[in-house]
Amino acid sequence: MSDLKVLDFKSKTERQQSNPEVIQRLEEALAMAKDGGVKTVAIVAILDNGDIMDCWANGGQPYALVGGIEAIKHDF
């Protein structure tokens, strides 16, 4: 017979802090939006539990947004 080991699985009770770069990018985008320079925005966020949050607001030129998404795909 093989030796079996019992492992305790513990749930994660503490939420981790968001990556500082994520906060910085969001603050930069918010500052631009408050300044009046943003027409259209799309946000995709992957949460620590694996859920995905996505949203958008279209103020014009949605095709430019699609081009931006394609540019991000090339970076990955």
Side-chain angles (χ1 to χ4, degrees):
M1 271 213 181
S2 64
D3 294 329
L4 298 176
K5 294 181 183 180
V6 176
L7 301 175
D8 290 332
F9 290 97
K10 296 178 183 175
S11 65
K12 215 182 211 186
T13 57
E14 278 186 37
R15 287 193 67 119
Q16 294 181 348
Q17 296 247 330
S18 294
N19 181 337
E21 290 180 16
V22 169
I23 302 298
Q24 180 182 355
R25 296 294 181 259
L26 289 170
E27 288 175 345
E28 290 171 357
L30 182 58
M32 283 188 254
K34 286 182 176 182
D35 191 39
V38 178
K39 285 202 274 187
T40 301
V41 66
I43 299 172
V44 176
I46 302 170
L47 307 178
D48 58 0
N49 66 0
D51 288 347
I52 297 176
M53 185 277 301
D54 61 271
C55 61
W56 60 275
N58 182 14
Q61 298 179 324
Y63 50 86
L65 184 61
V66 172
I69 292 169
E70 288 299 315
I72 290 171
K73 287 164 75 175
H74 286 285
D75 287 345
F76 285 102

